[in-house]
Amino acid sequence: MTESKEDPAAAREPDGAAASNEPEGIPDTPTSATRRRLRAAVALTLVAAIIVFGALGGARLAGIPSETPLPTPHPARLVAIDANGELATMDGLGGAVVPFLAPGVQFGFPAWSPDGTHIAATGLGAGSGVIHVFAVPPPGTTGAAPDGASPATGTAAPADAGSPTATGAVVDESGVIYRSSDAPPFYLYWTPDSRQVGFLTQEANGISLRIAPADGSVAATTIRQGAPLYWDWVDSGQLLAHIGGSAPDAFVGEVGVDGRSIDATVITPDSSLSPPTSAAPDTAVSAGVFRSPAVSRDGRYRAYVEIASGAAEEIVLEARDGSSRRTLPVPGATAVEFDPTGASLAYVAPVDAAAQPQDLPLGPLRLMDPTSGSSRTLLGGTVVGFFWAPDGKTIAALELPGPGNNGVQAAAPRFEPALARLTSTRVRTPDAIDAAAGIGLHLAFVDVATAAVRSQRDIQVSVTFVNQILPYFDQYALSHRFWSADSASLALPLVTADGTDQLAVIPASGSDPHPIPGRTIGFWSP
């Protein structure tokens, strides 16, 4: 949800230098015993990682002056980091590189603003966690433009706070909108209007959800505290939050950026307030086993998982104005994500309650209709993550290898718990997984209208991706763009034949992937 649910710099810490080799596939050596070991291994790693994602707060809105016109958006590009945590943008072939320099800072997963004019990234340097915001140069120019706010204080900085180097890069300290050694940030998500950045920080007593203006003009404020915490923006001043997992006092409902829940939208009681707010329905409702709630792109619908009156868990897909409500029973942990162009809801849930470990969504990829509430299967097998294409016509699904996808098998890598976070203590186990082996998965591009598989391939994704993104893919799908804006290609961090992490652009058409030289992970511009 940092990138990492470990520490703020973990997102950029692949265990090897990037290489330009073509990503290699998974050996096709089917054995049922190996398949069982692989399935258990990947599930164990994801379960170990999924313990960690969370957040909270209480805050006031930090506005950005509206008089300043936004710069012109740039052509479609990638923002990526290398093995040293250095950040740069580039085209889809890895050319036209523009470095964004912050000496001594190792960046985590960067995210584009929705309007494509800025990039925000968490980082770690000099013992402090930071969030940098960079203005992206207009088309035809070089060099990263400083954003005009001084570090920590949020006061205006001189216009020449950053100066281009001989390479066209800029050494920029002017765009630091947050800095802390006590509460480092580890995940961020822009507001829809591109004027503010919401982010999670690790506190001494838990996790906080904060918000800060992208120009650094006002200090960051806290919205909520709690763990785990997932959210989707309803609009730039309101969010749909899920706090506390499936605990008895978990909260699901809409919250303003001042931290106050909005009574009419509350799904479960808000025990953080005194007296607690009541859920809108008159029935006893508690949160089901899910992670991020979802809001449709037009803001009309929302989706979550609930347990009503002691009954079984069910997906709820409802209009926010109360005009319609559809439910669908699910037997366990579920991940949901709206069609970016409509209100159909893709989801992954187990086929039965015994088919998955703990709180990890595993199962077929299905689609729920908002009008009828009916469901149809898009892809059978064991899907562990999925991402909608921007045009809503294709879904990229990651599956555990098995006989349902060409009988693909792979040798199971050595797994131990890759991450543990207990309250404020973070424990790293760098030798837990053989990073050079990568993790074998099956990637399928599924046509949403027909459920036909457009193309498929076997891939080895990086351990960084498996530990830090895949367990929270539904939250990252909201804030970071894995698909190109034209819905033609997916960007994923793979492992090459020599064992190094390598960002690769994978066409949905089935043509060969092409590596992005020297980069380990990256995300497309809007």
Side-chain angles (χ1 to χ4, degrees), residues 288-290 305 313 330-335 348-350 356-362:
V289 182
F290 75 111
V305 179
E313 295 184 57
V330 287
T334 303
V348 166
Q356 69 180 71
Q358 299 184 24
D359 297 339
L360 181 66
L362 294 173

Side-chain angles (χ1 to χ4, degrees), residues 353-373:
Q356 69 180 71
Q358 299 184 24
D359 297 339
L360 181 66
L362 294 173
L365 174 65
R366 298 184 173 101
L367 194 69
M368 181 176 179
D369 181 80
T371 303
S372 65

Side-chain angles (χ1 to χ4, degrees), residues 177-268:
I177 66 168
Y178 177 82
R179 179 189 298 278
S180 175
S181 58
D182 299 324
F186 63 89
Y187 168 80
L188 58 81
Y189 180 8
W190 285 86
T191 55
D193 63 2
S194 300
R195 306 182 70 79
Q196 301 187 94
V197 180
F199 57 97
L200 300 179
T201 60
Q202 178 67 58
E203 313 286 333
N205 60 348
I207 299 174
S208 292
L209 168 60
R210 303 178 186 236
I211 191 167
D215 65 359
S217 59
V218 179
T221 55
T222 302
I223 298 176
R224 284 271 174 146
Q225 289 183 330
L229 188 151
Y230 302 89
W231 84 98
D232 193 3
W233 293 107
V234 174
D235 54 40
S236 296
Q238 190 169 317
L239 55 126
L240 175 61
H242 173 209
I243 306 172
S246 56
D249 61 349
F251 168 73
V252 181
E254 295 181 18
V255 176
V257 291
D258 61 357
R260 298 287 299 182
S261 57
I262 301 166
D263 286 357
T265 71
V266 170
I267 297 156
T268 63

